[in-house]
Amino acid sequence: MVKTIERPLDLLNNSKGKEVLVQLKGNKQFVGTLVAFDIHINLVLDNTKEMQNGEMKKSLGLTFLRGDTIIYVSPASTALQKE
Amino acid sequence: MVKTIERPLDLLNNSKGKEVLVQLKGNKQFVGTLVAFDIHINLVLDNTKEMQNGEMKKSLGLTFLRGDTIIYVSPASTALQKE
Amino acid sequence: MVKTIERPLDLLNNSKGKEVLVQLKGNKQFVGTLVAFDIHINLVLDNTKEMQNGEMKKSLGLTFLRGDTIIYVSPASTALQKE
Amino acid sequence: MVKTIERPLDLLNNSKGKEVLVQLKGNKQFVGTLVAFDIHINLVLDNTKEMQNGEMKKSLGLTFLRGDTIIYVSPASTALQKE
Amino acid sequence: MVKTIERPLDLLNNSKGKEVLVQLKGNKQFVGTLVAFDIHINLVLDNTKEMQNGEMKKSLGLTFLRGDTIIYVSPASTALQKE
Amino acid sequence: MVKTIERPLDLLNNSKGKEVLVQLKGNKQFVGTLVAFDIHINLVLDNTKEMQNGEMKKSLGLTFLRGDTIIYVSPASTALQKE
Amino acid sequence: MVKTIERPLDLLNNSKGKEVLVQLKGNKQFVGTLVAFDIHINLVLDNTKEMQNGEMKKSLGLTFLRGDTIIYVSPASTALQKE
């Protein structure tokens, strides 16, 4: 279901256009469609939702997330179903 | 509604002259018109308002925000309506 | 049982395709199959499980973990049996 | 009232010789005349006053502020009147 | 008893194949045989034991420790006897 | 009373041989004669005194201070009189 | 009593073979003979003692201290007598 992942950024590349779950430091979670990323793991998500305890706290639309505060990024297709 | 976003900074470039919501570490939020940014995500906002719990705490006018403390930047047109 | 380890990253290279235990700052633990890593210790795990106190808290499938928050990575064959 | 701001540092350049409000991490605020800055956002202020809750806590005269701890810098003409 | 130490990394080089005590930020301690290190002070230990208050908390076998969280590394021959 | 300050480090250069007040993160303060500094804002002070709440806590003589923990450096002639 | 100090690292160079007091973040103190240092302020101390409230908490012998956690280094001849 995924293209070959040689380097970590390949997973981000494979996830473009798909929904991802992004966990930040300080217990913030975002769900949105991955639009773009760079080597600093700065991300742009679309239809971004800030989540807390599995519920939507705020809808943010297009959002630039600084890589510095990110703990993990997981394609939502696998991450969200099993929660 | 947005120009093509190839890299994360493209969203900041598209947002110049528009109102953005900036979330900082330590629970600080700013709303203002994006005037300028650089690769460190240092920003200049105009008509900057420091927000807390959805209310304006302080009006700051033109403000230089250091990128180091930024968690996310979201164009206000999408972020603010849905709060 | 392991190939020669000259530099620290050799252990990560030897662990590709194997289950690893990843300890993050802030008391988060992940278990998953190591798919890829880079010099920043960014990792991609598959079949990732977020653990807490030895129990699975969340199943994340494929996950990109930013190296910045990692404390240690240990092949699960040695780490998990002895807990 | 301001010269063109193409990049964030242009605002600091425009603010030389003027009073600025500097917010640091850890809830410290300084007010002083901006004398100099560099690309690390290290600043020199003159007639520096350390503020707390809108009151002067300490007068520091000429002061070197390390950029690393700065959250924002705002020209005092806009920031201070509206507090 | 030690070879000449001109630069700090010489001590790590002299300690290869020997047991070391590694103190991390956040009060974590590890004891293990030093297998490899690099200039970021990333380490690989073998027969790694996570310690707490002088008692073994967990046995980790081969472990990659990110240099970023390390406070000190001390050859166990001198460090452990005197505790 | 001061030579021209074009860049922030000029203030440190002007302060060599003079008493400075150094504020560190974590509420530590030092007073001493500035002997040397570098671009990382590492400092050497002489006749260094660690201060707490305006009282001397410890006398340290010659001391190397890592720039990383410094918030501000202020020539004592202006900073100390007005406290 | 000291050789000329032009740059901060000169003090560390002058202190080789002498006892130094090293203050780390998180309130840890070490006393030991300075054996080696590098530009990251990584240190090797010999006869290292971890101190707490002026009393020896642990004897560590030869120890590699990562520069990243260091606040100050002071030659013990001046620092320790006056405590």
Side-chain angles (χ1 to χ4, degrees):
Chain A
M1 194 171 264
V2 297
K3 296 166 211 154
T4 310
I5 295 172
E6 298 280 344
R7 295 157 304 173
L9 295 185
D10 292 344
L11 176 58
L12 299 184
N13 205 38
N14 292 349
S15 303
K16 274 190 176 176
K18 299 182 189 155
E19 194 163 59
V20 293
L21 170 68
V22 182
Q23 175 74 47
L24 302 191
K25 295 176 192 171
N27 216 20
K28 282 185 196 292
Q29 277 194 327
F30 293 85
V31 175
T33 306
L34 184 61
V35 174
F37 69 92
D38 62 24
I39 56 164
H40 307 292
I41 325 299
N42 294 321
L43 307 178
V44 169
L45 302 185
D46 200 1
N47 298 315
T48 313
K49 286 157 196 60
E50 187 176 343
M51 310 294 285
Q52 209 163 43
N53 303 319
E55 289 181 27
M56 189 179 87
K57 196 181 145 195
K58 196 188 292 193
S59 177
L60 287 164
L62 269 171
T63 303
F64 173 95
L65 284 170
R66 263 186 80 242
D68 175 60
T69 62
I70 293 174
I71 294 177
Y72 68 74
V73 182
S74 188
S77 59
T78 58
L80 295 181
Q81 292 168 9
K82 302 176 187 173
E83 203 166 349
Chain B
M1 195 171 264
V2 297
K3 296 167 211 154
T4 311
I5 295 171
E6 297 280 344
R7 294 157 305 172
L9 295 185
D10 292 344
L11 176 58
L12 300 184
N13 205 39
N14 291 349
S15 302
K16 273 190 177 177
K18 298 182 189 156
E19 194 164 59
V20 293
L21 170 68
V22 182
Q23 175 74 46
L24 302 192
K25 295 176 191 171
N27 217 18
K28 282 185 195 292
Q29 277 194 327
F30 293 85
V31 174
T33 306
L34 184 61
V35 174
F37 68 93
D38 62 24
I39 56 164
H40 308 291
I41 324 300
N42 294 320
L43 307 179
V44 169
L45 302 185
D46 200 1
N47 298 315
T48 314
K49 286 157 198 60
E50 186 175 343
M51 311 294 285
Q52 209 164 44
N53 303 320
E55 287 181 29
M56 190 179 87
K57 196 180 145 196
K58 197 189 291 194
S59 177
L60 286 164
L62 268 171
T63 303
F64 174 94
L65 283 170
R66 263 186 81 242
D68 175 60
T69 62
I70 292 174
I71 294 177
Y72 68 73
V73 182
S74 188
S77 59
T78 59
L80 295 180
Q81 292 168 10
K82 302 176 188 173
E83 203 166 349
Chain C
M1 193 171 265
V2 297
K3 297 167 210 152
T4 310
I5 295 171
E6 298 280 344
R7 294 158 304 175
L9 294 185
D10 293 343
L11 176 58
L12 299 184
N13 206 38
N14 291 350
S15 302
K16 274 191 177 175
K18 298 183 188 155
E19 194 162 59
V20 293
L21 171 67
V22 182
Q23 175 74 46
L24 302 191
K25 296 175 190 170
N27 216 21
K28 282 186 196 291
Q29 276 194 328
F30 293 85
V31 174
T33 306
L34 184 61
V35 174
F37 69 92
D38 63 22
I39 57 164
H40 306 291
I41 325 299
N42 295 321
L43 307 178
V44 170
L45 301 186
D46 200 1
N47 299 315
T48 314
K49 286 157 197 61
E50 187 175 343
M51 311 294 285
Q52 209 164 43
N53 303 319
E55 290 181 26
M56 189 178 88
K57 195 181 147 196
K58 196 188 291 193
S59 178
L60 286 164
L62 269 171
T63 303
F64 174 95
L65 284 170
R66 263 186 80 242
D68 175 60
T69 62
I70 293 174
I71 295 177
Y72 68 75
V73 183
S74 187
S77 59
T78 58
L80 294 181
Q81 292 168 9
K82 302 176 188 172
E83 203 166 348
Chain D
M1 195 173 263
V2 297
K3 297 166 210 154
T4 312
I5 295 172
E6 297 280 345
R7 294 157 305 173
L9 295 185
D10 292 344
L11 176 58
L12 299 184
N13 205 39
N14 291 350
S15 302
K16 274 190 176 177
K18 298 183 189 155
E19 194 163 60
V20 293
L21 170 68
V22 182
Q23 175 74 47
L24 302 191
K25 296 175 190 171
N27 217 19
K28 282 186 196 290
Q29 276 194 328
F30 293 85
V31 174
T33 306
L34 184 61
V35 174
F37 69 92
D38 62 24
I39 56 164
H40 307 291
I41 323 300
N42 294 321
L43 307 178
V44 169
L45 301 185
D46 200 1
N47 298 314
T48 314
K49 285 157 199 61
E50 187 175 343
M51 311 293 285
Q52 208 164 45
N53 303 319
E55 289 181 27
M56 190 179 88
K57 195 181 146 196
K58 197 189 291 193
S59 177
L60 286 164
L62 268 171
T63 302
F64 174 94
L65 284 170
R66 263 187 80 243
D68 175 60
T69 61
I70 292 173
I71 294 177
Y72 68 74
V73 182
S74 188
S77 59
T78 57
L80 295 181
Q81 292 169 9
K82 302 176 189 172
E83 203 165 350
Chain E
M1 192 171 267
V2 297
K3 297 167 210 152
T4 310
I5 294 171
E6 297 281 344
R7 294 157 304 174
L9 295 185
D10 293 343
L11 176 57
L12 299 184
N13 205 39
N14 291 349
S15 302
K16 274 189 176 176
K18 298 183 189 155
E19 194 163 60
V20 293
L21 170 68
V22 182
Q23 175 75 47
L24 302 191
K25 296 176 191 170
N27 216 18
K28 283 186 195 292
Q29 276 194 329
F30 293 85
V31 174
T33 306
L34 184 62
V35 174
F37 69 92
D38 63 22
I39 56 164
H40 307 291
I41 324 299
N42 295 321
L43 306 179
V44 170
L45 301 186
D46 200 1
N47 299 315
T48 314
K49 286 158 198 60
E50 187 175 342
M51 311 294 285
Q52 210 164 44
N53 303 319
E55 289 181 27
M56 189 178 88
K57 194 180 147 197
K58 196 189 292 194
S59 177
L60 286 164
L62 269 171
T63 303
F64 174 94
L65 284 170
R66 263 187 80 242
D68 175 60
T69 61
I70 293 174
I71 295 177
Y72 68 74
V73 182
S74 188
S77 60
T78 56
L80 296 181
Q81 292 168 8
K82 302 176 189 172
E83 203 166 348
Chain F
M1 194 173 264
V2 297
K3 297 166 210 154
T4 311
I5 295 172
E6 297 281 343
R7 295 158 305 174
L9 296 185
D10 293 345
L11 176 58
L12 299 185
N13 206 39
N14 291 350
S15 302
K16 274 189 177 177
K18 298 182 189 157
E19 194 163 59
V20 293
L21 170 68
V22 182
Q23 175 75 45
L24 302 191
K25 296 175 191 170
N27 217 18
K28 283 185 195 292
Q29 277 193 328
F30 292 85
V31 175
T33 306
L34 185 61
V35 174
F37 69 92
D38 62 23
I39 56 164
H40 307 291
I41 323 300
N42 294 320
L43 307 179
V44 169
L45 301 186
D46 200 1
N47 298 314
T48 314
K49 286 157 198 60
E50 187 176 342
M51 310 295 284
Q52 208 163 45
N53 303 319
E55 289 182 27
M56 189 178 88
K57 196 182 146 195
K58 197 188 291 194
S59 177
L60 286 164
L62 269 171
T63 302
F64 174 94
L65 284 170
R66 264 187 79 243
D68 175 60
T69 61
I70 292 174
I71 294 177
Y72 67 74
V73 183
S74 188
S77 59
T78 57
L80 296 181
Q81 292 169 8
K82 301 176 188 172
E83 203 164 349
Chain G
M1 194 172 264
V2 297
K3 297 166 210 154
T4 311
I5 295 172
E6 297 281 344
R7 295 157 305 174
L9 295 185
D10 293 344
L11 176 57
L12 299 185
N13 206 37
N14 291 350
S15 302
K16 274 190 176 177
K18 298 182 189 157
E19 195 163 59
V20 293
L21 171 68
V22 181
Q23 175 75 45
L24 302 191
K25 295 176 191 171
N27 217 18
K28 283 185 195 292
Q29 276 194 329
F30 293 85
V31 175
T33 306
L34 184 62
V35 173
F37 68 92
D38 63 24
I39 56 164
H40 307 291
I41 324 299
N42 294 320
L43 306 179
V44 170
L45 301 186
D46 200 2
N47 299 315
T48 314
K49 287 158 198 59
E50 187 176 342
M51 310 295 284
Q52 209 163 44
N53 302 320
E55 288 182 27
M56 189 178 88
K57 195 181 147 197
K58 196 189 292 193
S59 177
L60 286 164
L62 268 170
T63 303
F64 174 94
L65 284 170
R66 264 187 79 242
D68 175 59
T69 61
I70 292 174
I71 295 177
Y72 67 75
V73 182
S74 188
S77 59
T78 57
L80 296 181
Q81 292 168 7
K82 302 175 188 174
E83 202 165 348

